[in-house]
Amino acid sequence: MSNTMTGPVEAYFEGRNVRDLARALSGFSETAVVHDESRIHRGPHEIRAWMTETVAAYDDHSELLNVETDGDTIIATARVSGNFPGSPITLRYRFATERGLISRLEIAP
C-alpha cells in the first residue's frame, strides 16, 4: 500500500471543491458507477446529475485526511463539511480504477 493519489481521484476532489464539475468528472470512465446515500448513478450523465444535485443541496467541501492505494483500489478518507445535519462528517471514498480511470466510487461513513 502507498499513500499516493492518482490524477483522476485528485481531479475528483479538487474539481468538486472548486465547483468545476467537468474537472471532477474528467477521471471517470464511460461505464463508471457511483454508490452514495443508498443510490446508484451509472455513466457520465447520471454521475454529473448526482454531483450537481449534491453540490446544490449540501454545498459540501472535502478536506482529505488520508489516502491509501492498493493496486487498482484507492481509499480516501475526508472530512466533509457543508449544509447538512452532523456537519462535518468523516467519509470514506473507495475508488476502483481501470486503465487509469475511475470505474467505481463508493462513499460511506
Side-chain angles (χ1 to χ4, degrees), residues 48-93:
R48 178 182 285 280
W50 161 74
M51 284 186 197
T52 301
E53 177 185 309
T54 57
V55 164
Y58 305 129
D59 190 28
D60 57 305
H61 287 82
S62 300
E63 174 191 350
L64 281 175
L65 302 174
N66 189 49
V67 177
E68 297 178 13
T69 304
D70 187 8
D72 291 334
T73 301
I74 300 157
I75 300 172
T77 305
R79 181 178 296 116
V80 181
S81 58
N83 297 327
F84 54 86
S87 176
I89 188 172
T90 300
L91 295 176
R92 185 182 57 132
Y93 296 75

